[in-house]
Amino acid sequence: MRKTMIATAIGASLVLSACGESKAPVAETKAPVAQTKAAAPTTAENVLLKKSPLDYEAPQYDKIKISDFLPAFDAGLKQHNEQIQAIINNSEAANFDNTIVAMEKSGEILDRTVRAFFQYSGLLSNDEVQKIEGDIMPRLTEHSDNIHMDPKLFARVKAVYDAKESLGDVEQRLVTKYYDDFVRAGAQLSDADKAKLRELNGELSKLSTEFGQNILKSFKDDTILVTDKAELAGLSDDEIASLADAAKAAGKEGYMITLVNTTRQPIMMSLENRELRKKIWETSANRAKDTNGPIVIKEAELRADKAKLLGYDTWADYKLADQMAGNPAAVFGILDDLAPKAVAKAKVEAADIQAEIKATGGDFELQPWDWNYYAEKVRKAKYDLDESQIKPYFEFNTVLNDGLFFAMNKLYGISFTPRPDLPVWEENVKAWEVHDKDGSVIGLFYVDPYARTGKNGGAWMDEIVTQNFLNNQKPVVYNALNIPKPAEGQPTLMTFDEVITMFHEFGHGIHGLFSQVKYPSLAGTSTARDFVEFPSQANEDWALDPAVLANYAKHYKTGEQIPAELLKKIQAAASFNQGYNTVEYLGAALLDMEWHSIKPGTEIKDAQAFEAEALAKHGMDYAPIMPRYRSTYFSHAFSGGYNAGYYAYLWTEVFAADSFAHMMEMGGLKAENGEKYRKAVLSQGNSHDLMQDYINFRGHKPTVDALLKRRGLVN
């Protein structure tokens, strides 16, 4: 998932001129430098107040202190207010340069502070950071409202918009974006309705912050402590040692199991103890029920009210109006078309699993906590393949350097030079300078690999500095993963799902790194939500390319290349369990859409009852498979900006599957394919019509044929 800090912070990237599932927090690691400086800074010491002197404006993580943030927010808000007032009070008639470009250039301190703070909030959160977040979110929301609802400023934007035909194509797109953002933020409402909207925005901001902080608390509190090592039968010695380390770090005796952010818990693939699997699953499926249940209902109701105020039937109508899908009917159409195919496929898989249960002496009906344990046995029987065979060939550094970086070099000609001289926010973070095929510098790339306390679950990418020619800035991006940190002295061995996640997130990374756009608001990954996941999902498939696999899948002890027979098994098993995966995803996507399709005034008394009714409505009430996220820990929908937007992963997978099939037809991992894709799609940001960018690459709009094959739903 791409985690947009600015959008998360204030709900509108305009103001500041601007996603694989892995382990959630585990053992505490060394505190970041920013948390070890106790003295309150003077203004002169606050590095957030001025442009970083480091290469490409990389942040001075060794000098940022948590105590810097509130003073920097104060200074940033003051500066931005003054800049906006200067635009409003400009005596010259509004034009593109003195209004739109002026806003693009404004807010540099606030932009830098927001990016730095919400990076810390996602990666290094603690009580102090959460308190600052609670304090600053209402101020950022108010600041956004003040800008978008200012009648004089909107009049200037509208004047430029009305005369946009005299501008170039990219400039017209930027002006239209500004105009639409203002209108969608309430610029045309009456004063009375603006006051109502401000109240709604303030309450929604507060609820979203509380939801996210409850999730972080859940990662810390909702753990399973095992005192009898025998209950961990099925896990490797290294995995058990990691659980022991986690317990010790938490001040407990025994073995501590922490949850990943999804309903499914990967540890249950290996655990033989059925009662322990059930306990883990129930802890996962019911987490944050009491704290976030009321918030989910309230957020959905307030969003419905806000949509009505802005002239839309539902929040989904409002959110989709500026997306590629256009309207909820289009989204429900594709989800409901796929749902029966996915459920049918899952039931076939369930029959195989039930047979395996019976064959191994089980006398019980398949339950959610059984699925992945017995599915792993079925996979082993069908393909003679299990996770313990695979992981020794997927050591983190080898996958990164000889897999991901190798593939990106073959496809795009880029290379990666380590930059150990650059300060980082946590001791395990690494930085690279990215060079183009001619040796010129593209930008910087950071990886934060391990799960830890205070780090959000899942995986994501964001831009620390967004590429743009207006301010002559090169891109600085990072990928956050949540791989369990191994016991001291042990290698980081990855599951194949974690390998795919690494490739996925770097798909977002190259989208930001390859940007060649003038204006910040249109640059990098600042595209429609239902387009931004296309490059990331398209990049996943290179992990399975035979030439790439052969280069990185090597035994961590011997260096022996993965046997050809095992490689064939991995490729053959790629579509295994896809009925389950698709049902799990569709359940979450449909829940997101149903929550945000309620009419104003709808009364919802119980979040879990609403879930059950929503799933039944779409034929997705299949007991052995729960949605990937239940509502009370569905951060995408209730604190992460993907509300009425989680469908985007499926929507964009159509593009990803279609484009990859096309590349394979054209010779696969070739520089010519990479250059064409880079030029037509990855470099364009949001500076042109997104569908036209795809057509320029592919020759026509995507079809669903490749997607159905990719998910194993058709032969």
Side-chain angles (χ1 to χ4, degrees):
M1 151 179 129
R2 177 180 182 269
K3 187 181 177 70
T4 308
M5 301 299 186
I6 294 172
T8 300
I10 58 175
S13 59
L14 163 65
V15 164
L16 301 182
S17 304
C19 74
E21 320 297 354
S22 298
K23 283 279 186 184
V26 289
E28 187 75 65
T29 58
K30 180 179 176 182
V33 174
Q35 294 177 318
T36 64
K37 309 281 182 117
T42 66
T43 301
E45 294 172 337
N46 193 331
V47 297
L48 294 170
L49 300 181
K50 55 188 177 181
K51 184 186 297 185
S52 171
L54 299 181
D55 291 348
Y56 323 116
E57 300 179 38
Q60 296 172 276
Y61 292 112
D62 55 337
K63 296 182 179 179
I64 297 174
K65 311 172 189 70
I66 291 178
S67 56
D68 289 340
F69 286 122
L70 281 177
F73 275 121
D74 290 339
L77 287 165
K78 181 176 183 295
Q79 180 199 53
H80 200 207
N81 278 325
E82 291 171 351
Q83 292 168 333
I84 293 297
Q85 287 305 310
I87 295 169
I88 292 170
N89 296 324
N90 191 332
S91 59
E92 297 180 2
N95 60 42
F96 182 77
D97 288 332
N98 68 22
T99 301
I100 305 301
V101 172
M103 282 195 282
E104 283 288 278
K105 289 183 174 181
S106 70
E108 54 268 32
I109 294 176
L110 189 55
D111 183 30
R112 186 162 52 244
T113 304
V114 163
R115 289 174 186 268
F117 177 75
F118 284 97
Q119 183 182 359
Y120 270 73
S121 178
L123 296 166
L124 302 164
S125 187
N126 60 19
D127 291 344
E128 190 176 0
V129 171
Q130 290 184 20
K131 184 180 185 304
I132 295 171
E133 186 175 9
D135 291 342
I136 199 62
M137 283 296 294
R139 295 176 63 191
L140 291 173
T141 301
E142 181 182 22
H143 181 65
S144 174
D145 287 343
N146 289 344
I147 291 173
H148 287 99
M149 297 185 197
D150 188 288
K152 293 181 179 179
L153 184 58
F154 178 59
R156 293 185 70 88
V157 172
K158 186 176 185 303
V160 181
Y161 174 78
D162 289 342
K164 69 179 185 299
E165 298 303 324
S166 62
L167 302 172
D169 290 346
V170 175
E171 287 71 23
Q172 286 191 42
R173 189 167 181 84
L174 180 61
V175 172
T176 300
K177 181 184 187 306
Y178 267 80
Y179 178 80
D180 289 347
D181 284 348
F182 269 77
V183 171
R184 288 172 58 78
Q188 294 179 317
L189 296 179
S190 67
D191 288 345
D193 283 345
K194 284 180 180 178
K196 292 178 185 176
L197 185 56
R198 284 177 180 272
E199 185 178 343
L200 287 169
N201 287 343
E203 184 65 16
L204 282 166
S205 172
K206 178 183 176 183
L207 290 170
S208 178
T209 300
E210 288 180 5
F211 185 100
Q213 292 186 352
N214 287 339
I215 294 299
L216 281 173
K217 187 175 186 298
S218 173
F219 281 136
K220 183 178 180 180
D221 295 346
D222 293 333
T223 59
I224 298 91
L225 187 66
V226 177
T227 56
D228 184 356
K229 185 178 178 180
E231 292 185 27
L232 301 176
L235 300 185
S236 69
D237 290 342
D238 287 347
E239 288 170 326
I240 292 172
S242 179
L243 299 181
D245 283 354
K248 183 178 179 181
K252 301 177 181 180
E253 293 186 6
Y255 310 87
M256 192 172 79
I257 298 170
T258 56
L259 300 178
V260 308
N261 60 326
T262 54
T263 304
R264 184 199 316 197
Q265 300 299 311
I267 196 172
M268 294 197 298
M269 282 197 306
S270 305
L271 279 174
E272 296 174 7
N273 188 305
R274 189 169 188 245
E275 284 304 309
L276 180 56
R277 293 201 310 268
K278 180 180 180 182
K279 183 177 181 180
I280 294 169
W281 186 89
E282 289 179 339
T283 303
S284 173
N286 294 306
R287 74 186 103 152
K289 180 174 65 175
D290 295 332
T291 55
N292 277 347
I295 291 177
V296 166
I297 294 171
K298 190 64 175 175
E299 277 198 64
E301 292 172 348
L302 291 177
R303 285 171 177 167
D305 292 341
K306 179 176 175 178
K308 180 180 179 181
L309 195 61
L310 291 166
Y312 293 86
D313 289 339
T314 68
W315 183 253
D317 286 288
Y318 168 76
K319 287 289 287 187
L320 291 165
D322 66 346
Q323 300 296 300
M324 295 187 76
N327 58 71
V331 174
F332 279 120
I334 191 171
L335 297 179
D336 283 333
D337 180 60
L338 194 55
K341 299 181 180 71
V343 172
K345 177 73 171 177
K347 288 182 177 179
V348 172
E349 295 168 355
D352 288 341
I353 291 171
Q354 191 68 58
E356 180 66 23
I357 291 172
K358 183 177 181 181
T360 53
D363 185 23
F364 51 83
E365 290 295 316
L366 170 64
Q367 298 296 327
W369 48 89
D370 299 315
W371 188 293
N372 285 290
Y373 176 73
Y374 285 98
E376 187 64 14
K377 291 182 176 296
V378 173
R379 181 169 76 153
K380 185 175 181 179
K382 280 193 171 186
Y383 303 102
D384 192 21
L385 183 69
D386 64 40
E387 200 68 59
S388 64
Q389 290 178 281
I390 298 172
K391 289 180 72 173
Y393 292 95
F394 297 144
E395 189 275 326
F396 176 84
N397 290 302
T398 305
V399 174
L400 181 68
N401 291 291
D402 299 339
L404 179 63
F405 290 174
F406 168 81
M408 298 301 96
N409 176 261
K410 291 296 182 184
L411 199 58
Y412 305 112
I414 60 176
S415 58
F416 300 79
T417 303
R419 289 293 306 268
D421 57 305
L422 291 174
V424 293
W425 56 89
E426 199 272 339
E427 62 180 352
N428 293 294
V429 175
K430 299 290 188 291
W432 291 264
E433 192 170 67
V434 185
H435 294 266
D436 216 335
K437 51 182 173 288
D438 63 0
S440 61
V441 174
I442 295 174
L444 291 176
F445 172 63
Y446 296 78
V447 169
D448 185 342
Y450 295 126
R452 60 179 172 268
T453 300
K455 185 177 183 181
N456 285 342
W460 66 92
M461 165 270 186
D462 213 326
E463 297 163 354
I464 301 168
V465 179
T466 295
Q467 177 278 330
N468 68 93
F469 296 128
L470 187 67
N471 300 314
N472 295 315
Q473 291 177 306
K474 290 185 180 294
V476 179
V477 308
Y478 75 88
N479 281 172
L481 308 174
N482 262 293
I483 300 169
K485 190 175 182 181
E488 187 71 26
Q490 296 301 311
T492 302
L493 303 182
M494 304 171 69
T495 67
F496 195 62
D497 281 348
E498 289 165 346
V499 172
I500 294 297
T501 297
M502 177 188 284
F503 276 74
H504 174 104
E505 295 307 332
F506 195 70
H508 287 307
I510 53 175
H511 199 183
L513 287 165
F514 288 162
S515 176
Q516 292 287 290
V517 177
K518 181 174 182 179
Y519 302 106
S521 292
L522 299 178
T525 54
S526 298
T527 68
R529 187 73 75 186
D530 53 6
F531 187 84
V532 77
E533 296 294 340
F534 157 40
S536 57
Q537 294 193 95
N539 209 54
E540 293 177 15
D541 287 317
W542 296 116
L544 278 164
D545 183 90
V548 179
L549 259 172
N551 202 63
Y552 74 84
K554 298 177 181 178
H555 200 282
Y556 77 100
K557 286 184 177 178
T558 66
E560 175 191 3
Q561 187 171 317
I562 191 169
E565 183 180 354
L566 183 56
L567 189 59
K568 288 179 182 178
K569 292 175 184 178
I570 292 172
Q571 292 168 322
S575 62
F576 176 73
N577 214 36
Q578 282 300 316
Y580 176 97
N581 292 337
T582 307
V583 169
E584 186 189 49
Y585 166 77
L586 288 174
L590 284 162
L591 280 181
D592 176 38
M593 289 299 297
E594 286 293 340
W595 275 114
H596 295 111
S597 295
I598 66 170
K599 300 283 187 179
T602 301
E603 185 179 359
I604 303 170
K605 294 182 178 180
D606 180 81
Q608 291 190 328
F610 181 91
E611 282 188 0
E613 292 174 9
L615 293 173
K617 176 181 176 181
H618 297 277
M620 299 295 292
D621 51 341
Y622 182 49
I625 306 177
M626 292 294 292
R628 182 174 296 173
Y629 303 96
R630 299 194 72 182
S631 303
T632 55
Y633 48 93
F634 200 170
S635 295
H636 291 77
F638 294 101
S639 68
Y642 273 65
N643 43 83
Y646 193 66
Y647 76 90
Y649 288 94
L650 181 64
W651 186 275
T652 54
E653 193 179 350
V654 173
F655 289 77
D658 187 74
S659 65
F660 189 78
H662 174 64
M663 282 200 185
M664 297 310 292
E665 290 170 1
M666 302 304 293
L669 193 69
K670 291 173 52 178
E672 295 87 344
N673 284 334
E675 182 61 29
K676 183 179 179 182
Y677 177 56
R678 177 177 176 177
K679 182 178 179 180
V681 177
L682 296 177
S683 68
Q684 298 299 315
N686 194 26
S687 56
H688 303 287
D689 179 79
L690 297 172
M691 182 61 81
Q692 189 58 53
D693 283 347
Y694 186 81
I695 293 170
N696 291 342
F697 163 68
R698 178 69 170 92
H700 56 72
K701 293 182 178 181
T703 67
V704 300
D705 298 345
L707 169 66
L708 295 175
K709 292 179 181 178
R710 189 179 198 241
R711 285 190 169 259
L713 301 180
V714 298
N715 295 324

